[in-house]
Amino acid sequence: MKKNPYKFIGPLSLDKDKLVLVHRNADLERICEGIENGEYWGILGPRQIGHTTFLRQIIDKMKDIFPLDIDFQVCPRKEKHFYLWLVQEFIERIPSEQTEDISKKWEDVDSASKFSGFLKEFKPEKDIKKILLLFDEIEGVPRLQNFLKIWRKTYISGDPELKKYTVVIAGSSELVSLTEEKTSPFNIADKLYMKDFFPEESRQLIEGPFARLNIKIAPNAKEKLLSQVNGHPQLLQHACNLLVDTANKEARGIVEKDIDEIINTLLKTNDSIATLEKDLKENSVLNTLVQGIFAGKKNPFHIHKEFSTRGAGCIVEDNNGNCAIRNKVYEKFLKDFLGTPTASEARKVSANILIKEDSTSTYFDGKPKELLPYAIKQIWVKNYYGIKETRVLNIPVNTQWIFLTGENSFGKTVFLQALAIGLFGDRDEGKILVGDDAKIGVEIRAKGKNLRNNLRDKGFKKFTHFAAYGSSRLEIQSQQTKNEISEKSTTTYGLFNTDGVLLNIESDLIIWYYKNDPKFEIVKQTLLDLLPHMADIIVTKKDEVVYIEKENQNGETYVPLPFNKLASGHKSIIAMVGDILIRLYRQNPGILESKELGGIVIIDELDLHLHPKWQRKLPELLSLVFPKVQFIVSIHSPIPLLGAPVNSIFFKVTRNKDDGIQVEHLDIKIQNLLPNSILTSPIFDMDEITQVNNESLDEVRTEDIYSKIIENDKIQEQLEKAAKSPRSSRIKGEKDKK
Ligand SMILES: Nc1ncnc2c1ncn2[C@@H]1O[C@H](COP(=O)(O)OP(=O)(O)OP(=O)(O)O)[C@@H](O)[C@H]1O
Ligand SMILES: [Mg+2]
């Protein structure tokens, strides 16, 4: 019986598994050179590609640098315990100079910032000039973003005390987003994508040990094996292990049919295949993608790149930049699992359908009562301007406010436009809004039923309870036009153009006024509710609407003013809310009370033209007057978020070269945050919120409200005065004597 050298569970040992170890020399040299130059590295790749083995190879090659390798698969999951544990790892495993009891000194390290302090003060033994930190299974770290930010600072700081560290982290799925994007904390690192073995390496891995063991393998059997596993490290080791067992058991060489047999065994027992099955069950996007590939559809790799590093990593890039299945063993498993698509299924897959099935109903706090007659549940956009593919799934149906944030020109408007097209269709009053290759799918909850809209699909139903506002919205129609829809006032025009014209609520008010229509009073009251400084709105004898403002304290009123004389903040609110009212009344015939109007309203740059006080109040006021409307808005400042109602959710829009515009759901409880913390939270992601012109950090005011600053300044002034007065110097003198 010959000892079986092939190993397919766990990382390889550089000593014991020498015979079956592939060196990956090119990658190894590249990364070691980078480490010597002080670079940090992120090692990415799917599960079982050999991360851990590779980390061992790096340690082995970088003999002059002291290594500390930590596997985060097993570590405390609470941040405060985690850092204490990490300090212990450092202290116990790196010989250090400190004579005092350092464990004691650092026993209160319970946060990322305290850990940063530790890193600075920690002194290894003199001989240790550099420490190579190798972090494996990085996904196990609690609040990973914070952890990575520590190393970002260490890298950037230029502090000589921190120069001693070099960091290499390894992981699979999440590491991509943590290292790649413009806003990712670890984007300071160089990246290495681990790939399958080169054909020559795979060939060696079969031939070397087989020759050593004196087992013959027929050339066609060997070629078949190579073509089936295509360099997948763990599949190849497992396959060879099974073949050595067969040769041992039957005391003969390996022939072609043995390959078919062991592949069947792999399909049932291999770990990477089990991971692949899990990937498919968890991710319907992957499912659709694979079916598309089988149906001969071309899917650009850059859009689906995540599936090359996530889980079993079943997607690779072919020579034309499209997605392909990583190897034939995976392919066979996928076909068996998904079933070969029939011709008609294949056609369906290649149609424009992005949202194929109803999503489950998602409620807030499990309350099944739906407050909003119309609400968006899922949005899926492909190939629309800067969007390559992005999706937002499972929005709770009682979400009244959806806030979009993101740096300027980061695609908030593009996303809102795509959403508008998904709701309303690709044309508005004959005008074409979007090119042919764009695909947009939107699922809406409409009066208790799910409505699935895929652009250009036969079943597409225009969603009409809808209004949309772009960033220029001060121009309103003249009264003479009687709010007829013109080219510049179609439903979506303002969102796509800068010269949109809003419908004029004053025209309708005048008509209602003369007809004694109860809507006059209702709409007037709605506008007054929105504008606390407004005492009244009246129709004059000259058929003109005028606005009467009031003084804050004593209720004294000012001279009546026409719309165009009002402050721009008031104008923008009256104009927009007026337009919303007109459209929603037309879309909800039979409804009299404005509070009963249902629909979806998109507003780009909600905070535009508004004083901060107004920005804060607006969401609340709009919720008050339109409790049944869902608002989807983009904002630039954190202030509207201070007024975000409880059932709000937040999306961050980001953009980078590879993935295009992406929309990410932020899971943040906003109610307890002040503007400072909102700005530095992932909603706005600002690292620094001190004044650009501020020179000394000591002088930054940390009071939360301005009146406190004034008060503190006064106290300070009095203290200084007191310190200078003769009385205080006398007291001081007496003290000195004692
Ligand atoms: N350099 C190598 N040479 C030969 N086989 C390898 C090599 N690296 C990995 N393998 C094969 O892949 C298996 C997994 O290796 P390793 O544990 O290093 O991968 P990993 O990416 O860290 O896996 P996990 O995703 O479970 O953390 C090994 O048991 C071995 O079969
Ligand atoms: Mg590993």
Side-chain angles (χ1 to χ4, degrees):
M1 179 71 87
K2 293 154 189 166
K3 189 173 175 301
N4 196 333
Y6 290 103
K7 183 174 171 188
F8 56 94
I9 294 171
L12 301 190
S13 143
L14 304 196
D15 291 338
K16 286 192 223 118
D17 301 316
K18 219 188 275 164
L19 190 59
V20 294
L21 179 79
V22 171
H23 289 282
R24 298 184 130 131
N25 281 328
D27 283 346
L28 208 52
E29 261 162 38
R30 212 178 118 211
I31 198 166
C32 291
E33 204 185 304
I35 292 171
E36 272 176 0
N37 293 331
E39 293 303 336
Y40 285 16
W41 282 80
I43 300 178
L44 303 107
R47 293 232 74 93
Q48 297 283 305
I49 190 75
H51 297 106
T52 308
T53 307
F54 191 62
L55 292 179
R56 291 180 176 179
Q57 290 173 295
I58 296 173
I59 296 177
D60 188 55
K61 203 171 153 80
M62 310 273 336
K63 290 210 169 68
D64 320 336
I65 303 187
F66 188 90
L68 178 67
D69 55 325
I70 299 182
D71 182 343
F72 291 114
Q73 198 163 20
V74 231
C75 68
R77 292 289 184 251
K78 284 228 164 83
E79 206 176 19
K80 63 179 203 211
H81 303 143
F82 172 82
Y83 285 105
L84 186 57
W85 169 83
L86 195 56
V87 164
Q88 293 303 331
E89 289 284 302
F90 271 66
I91 293 172
E92 278 165 22
R93 294 177 54 195
I94 308 173
S96 75
E97 288 216 319
Q98 266 105 338
T99 43
E100 63 199 288
D101 187 2
I102 46 172
S103 310
K104 207 157 185 82
K105 181 167 176 210
W106 293 104
E107 74 189 354
D108 69 332
V109 174
D110 57 1
S111 66
S113 60
K114 283 193 192 156
F115 182 72
S116 291
F118 164 79
L119 282 177
K120 228 167 146 171
E121 283 195 28
F122 178 72
K123 299 242 177 331
E125 235 172 51
K126 266 220 175 62
D127 303 351
I128 301 176
K129 297 276 178 286
K130 270 202 152 238
I131 300 168
L132 176 59
L133 301 167
L134 302 119
F135 298 146
D136 198 5
E137 301 288 349
I138 192 81
E139 279 94 350
V141 174
R143 313 218 20 208
L144 184 52
Q145 293 260 357
N146 287 350
F147 181 73
L148 294 179
K149 279 183 188 159
I150 299 176
W151 303 108
R152 176 192 191 84
K153 286 203 184 117
T154 318
Y155 181 80
I156 294 173
S157 88
D159 184 333
E161 290 302 328
L162 293 172
K163 278 230 162 354
K164 56 184 180 282
Y165 303 107
T166 305
V167 182
V168 176
I169 63 176
S172 57
S173 53
E174 294 191 20
L175 205 51
V176 178
S177 65
L178 291 167
T179 53
E180 281 223 324
E181 286 164 17
K182 194 166 165 250
T183 51
S184 310
F186 208 62
N187 60 11
I188 42 114
D190 281 4
K191 273 143 310 230
L192 180 89
Y193 282 90
M194 290 191 74
K195 295 257 160 62
D196 284 339
F197 297 144
F198 294 118
E200 220 17 71
E201 290 171 333
S202 307
R203 194 175 292 277
Q204 263 306 313
L205 185 58
I206 304 169
E207 286 171 0
F210 272 63
R212 256 296 182 74
L213 300 170
N214 210 3
I215 298 173
K216 285 211 163 52
I217 175 164
N220 58 354
K222 185 167 68 193
E223 294 314 313
K224 185 158 195 181
L225 177 60
L226 286 168
S227 77
Q228 293 285 317
V229 295
N230 205 14
H232 186 302
Q234 194 259 353
L235 270 181
L236 189 57
Q237 293 265 6
H238 195 176
C240 288
N241 183 285
L242 292 170
L243 290 175
V244 170
D245 280 355
T246 309
N248 270 336
K249 207 161 82 204
E250 301 187 13
R252 61 170 175 85
I254 297 300
V255 292
E256 199 182 337
K257 81 164 192 1
D258 294 325
I259 306 296
D260 297 327
E261 248 166 57
I262 60 123
I263 284 177
N264 279 332
T265 313
L266 287 179
L267 290 172
K268 286 184 214 120
T269 61
N270 180 270
D271 277 354
S272 299
I273 298 289
T275 309
L276 182 58
E277 181 171 351
K278 197 162 158 273
D279 289 351
L280 285 170
K281 285 185 178 154
E282 284 171 3
N283 200 315
S284 63
V285 182
L286 178 62
N287 243 295
T288 316
L289 175 66
V290 169
Q291 300 218 28
I293 294 173
F294 289 153
K297 216 186 123 203
K298 305 224 171 321
N299 292 285
F301 176 74
H302 62 85
I303 293 176
H304 303 285
K305 203 166 143 196
E306 65 185 294
F307 296 116
S308 69
T309 53
R310 181 184 276 186
C314 77
I315 300 295
V316 288
E317 185 172 13
D318 71 7
N319 293 334
N320 303 316
N322 292 318
C323 292
I325 305 296
R326 182 164 160 197
N327 58 55
K328 294 221 168 76
V329 181
Y330 274 22
E331 189 174 308
K332 181 150 192 340
F333 177 80
L334 290 166
K335 283 198 169 144
D336 292 348
F337 186 86
L338 297 169
T340 319
T342 62
S344 78
E345 275 168 340
R347 263 200 306 282
K348 219 160 90 200
V349 169
S350 57
N352 280 308
I353 293 171
L354 289 174
I355 298 190
K356 295 209 298 186
E357 278 164 28
D358 288 354
S359 61
T360 48
S361 282
T362 33
Y363 300 103
F364 256 104
D365 310 325
K367 268 183 256 149
K369 211 168 134 247
E370 283 173 28
L371 303 174
L372 299 168
Y374 307 101
I376 292 183
K377 292 179 73 186
Q378 317 199 60
I379 311 161
W380 203 313
V381 185
K382 248 174 133 166
N383 303 330
Y384 178 74
Y385 288 99
I387 301 177
K388 286 173 179 166
E389 178 167 16
T390 193
R391 45 188 182 265
V392 178
L393 310 176
N394 293 326
I395 303 172
V397 290
N398 284 341
T399 304
Q400 198 189 0
W401 283 85
I402 298 178
F403 289 95
L404 293 181
T405 68
E407 283 174 41
N408 277 334
S409 77
F410 259 43
K412 296 186 289 272
T413 307
V414 168
F415 182 72
L416 291 178
Q417 288 175 348
L419 174 59
I421 294 169
L423 291 168
F424 206 69
D426 58 351
R427 37 209 72 222
D428 191 357
E429 306 284 327
K431 195 164 176 188
I432 296 173
L433 301 174
V434 62
D436 271 354
D437 54 344
K439 292 184 187 180
I440 301 171
V442 178
E443 188 190 351
I444 308 159
R445 187 84 172 161
K447 301 238 161 130
K449 288 205 183 92
N450 288 333
L451 176 69
R452 253 181 291 131
N453 256 350
N454 287 289
L455 196 60
R456 286 184 294 265
D457 182 33
K458 265 202 245 90
F460 187 93
K461 249 182 104 195
K462 203 179 190 111
F463 178 74
T464 49
H465 290 66
F466 168 59
Y469 302 90
S471 55
S472 52
R473 43 175 189 263
L474 285 175
E475 190 77 32
I476 55 174
Q477 271 193 21
S478 75
Q479 279 176 31
Q480 284 70 40
T481 50
K482 300 270 184 301
N483 287 333
E484 275 162 30
I485 301 290
S486 71
E487 188 207 343
K488 291 187 176 174
S489 58
T490 59
T491 311
T492 59
Y493 189 90
L495 198 55
F496 292 83
N497 303 280
T498 51
D499 58 345
V501 178
L502 298 178
L503 302 179
N504 186 340
I505 190 70
E506 293 184 353
S507 312
D508 284 16
L509 278 171
I510 293 168
I511 296 170
W512 292 331
Y513 176 74
Y514 284 113
K515 281 193 182 163
N516 270 334
D517 189 322
K519 279 197 200 120
F520 176 80
E521 279 305 321
I522 291 169
V523 166
K524 181 173 116 178
Q525 199 47 53
T526 304
L527 292 175
L528 292 179
D529 283 347
L530 274 169
L531 305 165
H533 295 298
M534 203 65 81
D536 204 359
I537 300 171
I538 48 178
V539 178
T540 65
K541 295 208 175 75
K542 284 192 243 156
D543 287 356
E544 207 188 6
V545 176
V546 290
Y547 301 81
I548 302 172
E549 292 180 333
K550 66 182 169 200
E551 180 71 85
N552 236 356
Q553 265 101 33
N554 49 17
E556 224 172 276
T557 52
Y558 289 106
V559 278
L561 293 172
F563 177 79
N564 54 21
K565 295 262 166 62
L566 295 174
S568 67
H570 283 183
K571 273 207 279 202
S572 78
I573 290 182
I574 296 172
M576 184 176 74
V577 171
D579 185 282
I580 296 177
L581 282 162
I582 297 170
R583 290 182 201 270
L584 292 186
Y585 270 125
R586 288 181 187 175
Q587 296 159 2
N588 291 272
I591 288 187
L592 184 61
E593 291 293 338
S594 56
K595 284 195 167 46
E596 290 300 315
L597 295 170
I600 294 174
V601 172
I602 293 179
I603 307 172
D604 198 7
E605 306 191 16
L606 179 75
D607 35 0
L608 198 76
H609 305 307
L610 297 176
H611 184 277
K613 266 190 189 169
W614 267 98
Q615 295 182 18
R616 189 173 136 240
K617 263 197 233 143
L618 193 56
E620 207 185 322
L621 287 173
L622 286 172
S623 291
L624 177 80
V625 297
F626 296 121
K628 296 201 165 171
V629 171
Q630 185 179 49
F631 290 94
I632 298 148
V633 304
S634 76
I635 51 169
H636 286 96
S637 94
I639 299 173
L641 298 185
L642 295 175
V646 200
N647 46 352
S648 302
I649 61 173
F650 310 96
F651 292 142
K652 188 163 88 181
V653 182
T654 58
R655 180 162 74 184
N656 72 50
K657 220 170 94 243
D658 286 344
D659 303 324
I661 294 167
Q662 291 285 326
V663 179
E664 178 195 340
H665 176 207
L666 300 173
D667 194 4
I668 287 186
K669 286 251 173 302
I670 194 90
Q671 283 78 18
N672 306 329
L673 301 186
L674 284 169
N676 280 358
S677 23
I678 295 177
L679 281 174
T680 47
S681 78
I683 300 179
F684 285 93
D685 248 350
M686 290 176 70
D687 274 345
E688 303 286 350
I689 50 164
T690 47
Q691 274 280 336
V692 181
N693 298 326
N694 176 273
E695 278 166 3
S696 152
L697 269 185
D698 297 338
E699 286 171 18
V700 170
R701 307 299 302 244
T702 52
E703 293 90 342
D704 290 330
I705 43 177
Y706 192 72
S707 54
K708 257 259 140 43
I709 295 187
I710 304 286
E711 196 180 305
N712 286 346
D713 280 352
K714 267 198 194 131
I715 295 174
Q716 189 60 31
E717 204 179 302
Q718 281 166 1
L719 284 174
E720 278 166 18
K721 246 193 221 154
K724 280 186 204 136
S725 78
R727 189 166 172 262
S728 84
S729 53
R730 205 182 63 227
I731 295 171
K732 195 169 167 271
E734 276 168 11
K735 258 197 193 150
D736 287 347
K737 263 187 235 156
K738 280 182 193 168

